[in-house]
Amino acid sequence: MNMIKISLITIACVVGVHAQVINLEPVSVTGLREEQKVSEQALSISTKEEKEIKLDQVIFQKDLLNSMAGVRIEQTTSIIGHKTAIRMPSTTSPYYLFLQDDIPVQSSGFFNHNGLSYTTFESASSVEVLKGAGTALYGSDAVAAVVNVKSASTPSKELETSVRMKGGSHGYISGSVEASDTIDEDSGYRAKVNYSKSSGWRQHTSYDRYEASLRYDEMLNDENMLKIILTGSKTDAEQADSFEDYANIENRNTAASDDPNFATALEKTDVRRKFDYARLSLEWSNYSVEGLEISTTPYIRYNRNQYVATWEKNLPSNDSEQQTLGLLQKNTLDMSNGRIIFGFDTEYTDASTKYHQDFDLTTSGWGAKTYTQGALYDYDVEYFAISPYVHTDISLSEEIIISAGLRYDYNHYDYTNNLSVGADASNTYYRVADRSDSFDHLSPKLALSYHPRKDLNLYARYANGFRIPQATRLYSQNVGYEDVRLDSETSNTYEIGVKKEFKNSYIELAAYYMSIDDTITRYEDDISGLYYYKNGDSTLHRGIEATAFAQMNEEWGAKVAYSYAKHSYENDEVYGSNEQAEAPNTTANTRLIYSPDYLNGLSVMAEWQYVGSYWMDDENTKKYNGYSIGNLKADYKYNENISVFGKITNITDKAYATSATYRYNTNNYTPGDPRQFYAGLEYRW
C-alpha cells in the first residue's frame, strides 16, 4: 500500500511538466470512475486538461467543450443557460448525464438542460465527455453522452497560491483566488473561489456568477484514503428574448427582443434566470483486502432553478428546488486475466415545483386567453432510485479484451398536489391528483477491444440506455392532455472505432448508430395552440467523429475535431421520417497552436468553429445556413510568478444566430456574440 501513497505524491508533482498544450497520452476517469488511458478504452471519450483550458480562458460552457468532436454547446438568451448537442440535435431534453467530480449534478427526473451551469465550469481543472450511452456505471439520462466537469485537482506538495484577474468587452470582469498545500505528509487541500459578471452586449443580458470548490485529501493509513469535496455555484442572470426578424441579427440590434410582448413582459415582471447549487461529498477508498478496492461516496446536494417562462404568452414564473441524499458504492476486484467492477448507486430527492402567474393578463391573437394572478402548479415529489450494476474486463489474449456490463435501474416518484385538482382559471393548466409512478430498466453493455500493437486500438461497442420521463412531463399537464401517460425511452448504441498513437500525434475515429424508441416527443395542437408530450415512435442518430492532433515540431501543433451526423424521425405519426430540427449534419473545430522558441512561455492559438446548415422545424419547411467564426487566444508565462493572457472571439465580427427555430408560424433567432476582447493577469507565489 506504500506504492499507493508514492503514486499520489508523484501525481501531485507532475502538473505543468509537459510542454504540449494537448496531452499526447490523455487519461480519463469517467468511463469506470478510475484512471485509464483514453487510447485503451473501448468507447469514444474526449478530454481536455488544465493547460488547454487555461488557454481557452473559459467564460461560457461553450468555451470549455466546443473543441471536442461532435460536441456543441450553444448559450441561450439567458446567457449562462445553454442547450447541448452531442450525438443529438440541439435540445433541452434529458439525453445527457452531467457530472461534477464523477457525481451527478441533478437527479434523473429533475433534468435542467442548463445543468452545466450548476458545475464550476469557469474554474474547471479538466473536463471529459463520454459519447453514446454510458457504461454500466451510469443509468437514466446517459443516452447520448456523459459530461464530467472536474472542480479542484489533486492538492499540491508545497504551498501554491494564485490570483487571476481578467476583464473584457461589455463590462465583463472576473477574479479568482486559488490556494493549495499539504497539511502534513498524509493530507492536503486545494481551494478555489471565482466571481464573474458582465453587462452583456444586448439589453437585459447582464449576469453575476459565483463558483467555489474545496478539496481535502487524507491518507488515513496504508489501507484507507479519504477525499472530501465541497463545491457550489450561484448565478443571477437577466433573460433576453430571441428575434423574429433575421435583419436584427444582421444589423447587430442590441435590443432584448423585437417582440413588443417582451417589452410588456419587462414592465410586468422580473425576467431573469437564477441557478443555485451546492454539493458535499466524501469518498472513502479501502484497500484492506488484497486485489480488492472498495470505494464508497455518500453526498448531499442542493439544486434550485428559478426563471420566467418567456416562451409562454402569459409569462409564468417557475421555482423548483431539490434536496438530495445519495450514495455511490463501487468495488473493483482484480483477477489474473482481468477485473470485475460491481456496486450500486442510490438517491433520495425531496423536490418541490411552484409555477405561478404573477399578474393578471389577457393575451391577444391566436389562442387568446385571460390569466388570473395566482398559483398554476404547486406540487411536491419524493423521488427514490436504486441501481445495482456489474462490469467486467476479461483479457482473452494479449491483444483482445472483452468488456461486458449489466445495470438494473429502479426509479420511483411519489407526487403530492398542493392545489385543487383540475384546471386553472384560464383553462390551460391541469393539476393532476396525487399519485405514484415507477419505472425500471435493465441495460446490457458489451464491447470488444483489439490491440494488434501497443499504440493501436480497434474496438466495437454496444450499449443499451434509457431515460425516465421528467417529473414536469408527468405532473405539469395541459388541459385536454391530463390523461396522457408516459413510458421511458430506450436507446441502443452501436459503435466502432480506431485509436492510433504516433510519436508526436494521435488520431481517433468513431462511427455510431443510435436508435431511440418510444421517444417522448413534443406535439403542437393547431386548434388550442397548446403543446403536449407523448411517446412517439423512434428516432435515428448516426454519424462519424474524428479527432486528430499533431505536434509538427517544437513550435507548431494542430488539432482537428470533425463530426458528420444525421438525426431523423422514423415513421413518426406527425413528422414521418423527417430530419430533426436544430441538427446540423456537419460541425468542426480546428486549432493551430504556436509556441515560439524565441519567446519561451508563449502559446498562441488560432481557432475556427464551424456549424453547418440545419432545419429550423421538424416539418422540414425552413432551413438556417449555419455559421463559422474564428477566435484568437494567447497565454504568456512571463516567469514563474506572472502570466498574462488574452483572446479575441468572433474575430471577423460575423453576424450569426446560435439557434434558429420555426414554431407557431414564427421565426426565433438567438443572436451570437459580436467580436469581443478579453485580457487578464495571473500572479502565483
Side-chain angles (χ1 to χ4, degrees):
M1 293 305 126
N2 287 329
M3 287 300 296
I4 297 171
K5 187 184 297 185
I6 293 170
S7 297
L8 288 172
I9 295 172
T10 302
I11 291 169
C13 296
V14 164
V15 176
V17 170
H18 300 290
Q20 296 96 342
V21 172
I22 299 171
N23 191 348
L24 290 175
E25 294 187 351
V27 172
S28 166
V29 299
T30 299
L32 299 173
R33 296 193 198 127
E34 58 187 55
E35 286 193 355
Q36 187 176 5
K37 284 182 63 177
V38 169
S39 60
E40 296 176 350
Q41 300 181 56
L43 48 80
S44 179
I45 190 163
S46 296
T47 68
K48 184 184 283 189
E49 298 181 354
E50 190 166 15
K51 196 166 185 180
E52 187 179 2
I53 290 173
K54 280 195 172 183
L55 184 55
D56 276 315
Q57 301 159 50
V58 174
I59 296 172
F60 303 112
Q61 296 93 323
K62 63 181 180 181
D63 302 326
L64 182 65
L65 291 155
N66 281 2
S67 59
M68 298 177 176
V71 177
R72 182 166 67 96
I73 306 295
E74 298 288 13
Q75 308 306 135
T76 63
T77 53
S78 60
I79 312 304
I80 296 297
H82 68 90
K83 297 169 71 175
T84 306
I86 307 172
R87 295 192 176 182
M88 293 287 294
S90 183
T91 183
T92 59
S93 296
Y95 293 111
Y96 308 106
L97 183 60
F98 298 124
L99 310 177
Q100 173 101 63
D101 303 314
D102 309 323
I103 297 171
V105 301
Q106 53 196 347
S107 295
S108 298
F110 301 93
F111 180 82
N112 178 0
H113 68 87
N114 304 296
L116 290 172
S117 302
Y118 292 137
T119 70
T120 56
F121 66 86
E122 270 193 275
S123 54
S125 61
S126 64
V127 64
E128 302 174 3
V129 179
L130 190 168
K131 303 167 197 172
T135 65
L137 277 68
Y138 303 109
S140 180
D141 300 356
V143 173
V146 177
V147 182
N148 190 7
V149 178
K150 294 289 190 174
S151 58
S153 55
T154 306
S156 60
K157 186 178 180 181
E158 298 178 347
L159 177 63
E160 294 178 356
T161 308
S162 66
V163 176
R164 189 176 176 93
M165 302 291 294
K166 60 183 173 181
S169 300
H170 311 292
Y172 173 81
I173 60 170
S174 176
S176 64
V177 178
E178 181 175 359
S180 182
D181 196 7
T182 54
I183 298 172
D184 54 41
E185 64 177 7
D186 294 321
S187 62
Y189 72 90
R190 184 175 294 275
K192 288 184 184 180
V193 178
N194 188 87
Y195 170 73
S196 61
K197 68 176 296 184
S198 173
S199 301
W201 72 271
R202 297 173 65 200
Q203 297 172 20
H204 214 260
T205 57
S206 67
Y207 71 86
D208 287 83
R209 177 172 168 83
Y210 301 85
E211 294 182 356
S213 61
L214 173 64
R215 172 173 170 173
Y216 172 79
D217 291 10
E218 182 173 358
M219 179 70 75
L220 299 174
N221 53 46
D222 286 349
E223 297 177 344
N224 291 278
M225 287 173 50
L226 192 66
K227 180 169 68 176
I228 300 173
I229 297 179
L230 174 63
T231 183
S233 63
K234 184 178 182 63
T235 305
D236 187 346
E238 290 184 319
Q239 192 172 340
D241 192 23
S242 55
F243 289 124
E244 296 180 14
D245 186 350
Y246 195 74
N248 289 300
I249 302 288
E250 298 173 318
N251 299 333
R252 285 277 181 233
N253 190 340
T254 60
S257 176
D258 58 357
D259 183 355
N261 290 327
F262 189 77
T264 302
L266 293 179
E267 296 173 0
K268 290 183 172 292
T269 187
D270 189 18
V271 181
R272 48 199 322 118
R273 186 180 282 271
K274 300 179 182 180
F275 306 111
D276 298 301
Y277 176 81
R279 192 208 73 225
L280 174 65
S281 63
L282 185 155
E283 180 182 338
W284 168 53
S285 298
N286 178 270
Y287 305 89
S288 58
V289 178
E290 187 67 29
L292 177 65
E293 177 186 350
I294 300 173
S295 175
T296 304
T297 308
Y299 59 91
I300 56 174
R301 186 182 64 223
Y302 173 77
N303 301 68
R304 189 175 186 186
N305 181 22
Q306 302 171 79
Y307 61 85
V308 173
T310 55
W311 52 91
E312 304 279 4
K313 287 186 175 183
N314 53 312
L315 303 166
S317 62
N318 176 83
D319 187 353
S320 59
E321 290 185 86
Q322 297 94 43
Q323 300 174 69
T324 299
L325 177 64
L327 177 67
L328 306 177
Q329 205 289 315
K330 171 176 167 280
N331 312 283
T332 303
L333 177 63
D334 292 326
M335 304 180 297
S336 59
N337 64 337
R339 62 182 172 179
I340 297 177
I341 299 173
F342 60 96
F344 69 92
D345 305 335
T346 187
E347 278 194 346
Y348 169 80
T349 295
D350 186 9
S352 66
T353 296
K354 293 179 172 62
Y355 215 54
H356 195 269
Q357 184 67 40
D358 295 329
F359 46 84
D360 294 343
L361 179 68
T362 299
T363 61
S364 58
W366 184 39
K369 288 185 177 182
T370 295
Y371 298 87
T372 304
Q373 181 179 356
L376 303 175
Y377 300 117
D378 183 345
Y379 57 81
D380 301 317
V381 178
E382 292 185 30
Y383 168 81
F384 174 74
I386 188 165
S387 308
Y389 62 84
V390 61
H391 172 94
T392 61
D393 294 319
I394 304 296
S395 297
L396 301 182
S397 67
E398 291 185 0
E399 296 86 14
I400 299 175
I401 300 174
I402 188 168
S403 301
L406 192 65
R407 180 185 179 96
Y408 174 75
D409 284 88
Y410 174 79
N411 308 82
H412 180 79
Y413 296 102
D414 273 324
Y415 156 82
T416 302
N417 174 33
N418 298 321
L419 301 173
S420 60
V421 175
D424 75 310
S426 71
N427 200 40
T428 302
Y429 303 96
Y430 192 90
R431 301 85 171 241
V432 299
D434 297 356
R435 74 179 204 222
S436 298
D437 294 275
S438 297
F439 304 89
D440 64 331
H441 186 76
L442 189 66
S443 305
K445 326 277 184 175
L446 183 65
L448 183 68
S449 186
Y450 174 51
H451 299 263
R453 295 170 45 179
K454 185 179 179 180
D455 58 6
L456 178 62
N457 180 9
L458 309 173
Y459 71 89
R461 179 176 184 248
Y462 163 75
N464 177 269
F466 80 108
R467 64 109 163 174
I468 60 174
Q470 296 179 70
T472 52
R473 297 287 177 262
L474 294 170
Y475 309 124
S476 297
Q477 296 291 350
N478 283 332
V479 170
Y481 305 101
E482 59 269 18
D483 294 327
V484 173
R485 292 297 180 104
L486 298 174
D487 297 321
S488 297
E489 293 188 15
T490 57
S491 70
N492 292 289
T493 296
Y494 304 86
E495 180 179 321
I496 57 173
V498 179
K499 301 181 183 183
K500 178 70 171 73
E501 293 180 324
F502 302 92
K503 182 179 179 180
N504 293 310
S505 60
Y506 66 81
I507 187 169
E508 298 176 4
L509 299 172
Y512 65 90
Y513 177 97
M514 179 173 67
S515 63
I516 303 178
D517 299 320
D518 297 322
T519 56
I520 300 173
T521 304
R522 171 180 163 140
Y523 298 98
E524 297 172 0
D525 191 309
D526 293 334
I527 298 175
S528 67
L530 298 176
Y531 62 85
Y532 61 98
Y533 292 85
K534 72 174 186 176
N535 289 101
D537 288 308
S538 301
T539 57
L540 295 178
H541 312 269
R542 50 270 197 221
I544 57 173
E545 297 161 348
T547 301
F549 172 75
Q551 189 69 41
M552 295 173 283
N553 55 42
E554 291 184 356
E555 294 186 307
W556 292 93
K559 181 182 179 183
V560 176
Y562 171 84
S563 172
Y564 178 84
K566 191 170 183 180
H567 309 282
S568 60
Y569 292 97
E570 186 180 30
N571 302 319
D572 187 83
E573 64 180 52
V574 174
Y575 304 125
S577 297
N578 289 353
E579 286 195 61
Q580 291 183 282
E582 294 192 86
N585 296 133
T586 306
T587 61
N589 180 280
T590 301
R591 319 188 122 194
L592 183 63
I593 304 162
Y594 177 51
S595 302
D597 284 339
Y598 67 82
L599 192 56
N600 188 36
L602 175 65
S603 292
V604 179
M605 179 170 68
E607 178 185 40
W608 176 68
Q609 185 82 39
Y610 173 77
V611 174
S613 62
Y614 55 83
W615 294 108
M616 295 171 60
D617 60 341
D618 290 322
E619 290 83 3
N620 292 177
T621 63
K622 300 194 73 171
K623 225 173 191 185
Y624 176 61
N625 289 330
Y627 66 90
S628 62
I629 58 171
N631 306 309
L632 185 64
K633 306 174 183 180
D635 186 283
Y636 176 47
K637 186 176 181 180
Y638 177 72
N639 56 36
E640 291 301 315
N641 301 109
I642 298 174
S643 295
V644 293
F645 52 89
K647 67 177 180 177
I648 307 172
T649 59
N650 190 4
I651 197 166
T652 63
D653 203 23
K654 171 81 171 180
Y656 68 100
T658 61
S659 174
T661 62
Y662 179 68
R663 285 180 175 168
Y664 301 119
N665 300 312
T666 302
N667 297 319
N668 293 281
Y669 299 102
T670 301
D673 297 338
R675 179 170 51 228
Q676 300 192 76
F677 300 86
Y678 302 92
L681 171 72
E682 182 177 27
Y683 182 72
R684 296 176 297 276
W685 69 94

